[in-house]
Amino acid sequence: MSTGKLQAGVEPSVLLCVGHEHWLRARLIDQLKQRTLAAGFEETDFVRLEASAQTPAILEAISTAPFSAARGPASGGGSGRRLVVIGQWPEIGPTVVPWLAAYLDDPNLKACVVLCADRFEGREGRLPSVWNRPRIVRVVSCQSPEPRLWVLEQARELGKRVHPAAADLL
């Protein structure tokens, strides 16, 4: 499980953002938008739904091809994938999102579905085994990392160096 950032490679069909840090979630979604959506297609290929959305509306959003892909290859350009962000649930699990297990059997490869929640349901607080599909599902923690490590990571991403002692003081 990574913390608030995407790893290199193709985005999974389903991304679970679990944690209380809304700023990490916003940063992650911005990264996904940059990597997934083509310029000019943000309005058509990005869908945000509330956790209270009804299952038919969710399934329609995640099963629809990206607008640019629906226009056909002759149109040129376009996103190639639709980004659908759903949430924020206090807890997420099979009883909260009953449609997800069936969706994982036949996911729309032209969509990246992001489900946002504060925590997994149940005492274990981890990915339900029915959703454990490594090639399809990825979990990203939206919990604050240790401040020292976060400062060092941010500096590295910006191409800067911070002395570890200075990071300790921040």
Side-chain angles (χ1 to χ4, degrees):
M1 180 184 318
S2 60
T3 303
K5 77 181 230 185
L6 294 173
Q7 299 171 355
V10 177
E11 285 73 31
S13 294
V14 176
L15 186 68
L16 300 172
C17 294
V18 180
H20 298 284
E21 302 293 349
H22 295 277
W23 67 273
L24 282 172
R25 187 174 309 114
R27 185 175 112 179
L28 177 83
I29 292 168
D30 285 344
Q31 288 175 357
L32 274 171
K33 282 181 178 180
Q34 290 174 5
R35 288 174 44 172
T36 306
L37 305 177
F41 290 92
E42 296 89 348
E43 293 291 320
T44 57
D45 290 342
F46 177 70
V47 179
R48 184 182 293 270
L49 299 170
E50 296 298 321
S52 60
Q54 298 298 313
T55 301
I58 292 172
L59 294 177
E60 179 181 344
I62 62 179
S63 64
T64 304
F67 177 75
S68 51
R71 292 173 51 210
S75 66
S79 300
R81 290 190 87 188
R82 170 172 270 205
L83 180 59
V84 181
V85 177
I86 310 168
Q88 172 75 27
W89 286 279
E91 291 186 333
I92 194 166
T95 59
V96 177
V97 191
W99 52 266
L100 185 58
Y103 177 74
L104 293 176
D105 289 336
D106 187 25
N108 177 6
L109 300 179
K110 295 280 186 187
C112 178
V113 180
V114 180
L115 303 174
C116 304
D118 290 335
R119 64 189 168 280
F120 286 115
E121 68 182 353
R123 290 187 181 172
E124 296 83 33
R126 63 177 179 241
L127 181 68
S129 59
V130 69
W131 295 353
N132 191 8
R133 318 261 179 108
R135 292 185 184 159
I136 300 172
V137 178
R138 189 176 309 152
V139 179
V140 176
S141 172
C142 289
Q143 299 284 60
S144 287
E146 180 185 330
R148 176 182 186 268
L149 296 176
W150 183 81
V151 168
L152 294 171
E153 180 181 316
Q154 292 302 304
R156 186 173 42 254
E157 283 183 14
L158 295 171
K160 307 293 183 189
R161 296 184 72 178
V162 174
H163 193 279
D168 288 336
L169 293 174
L170 296 174

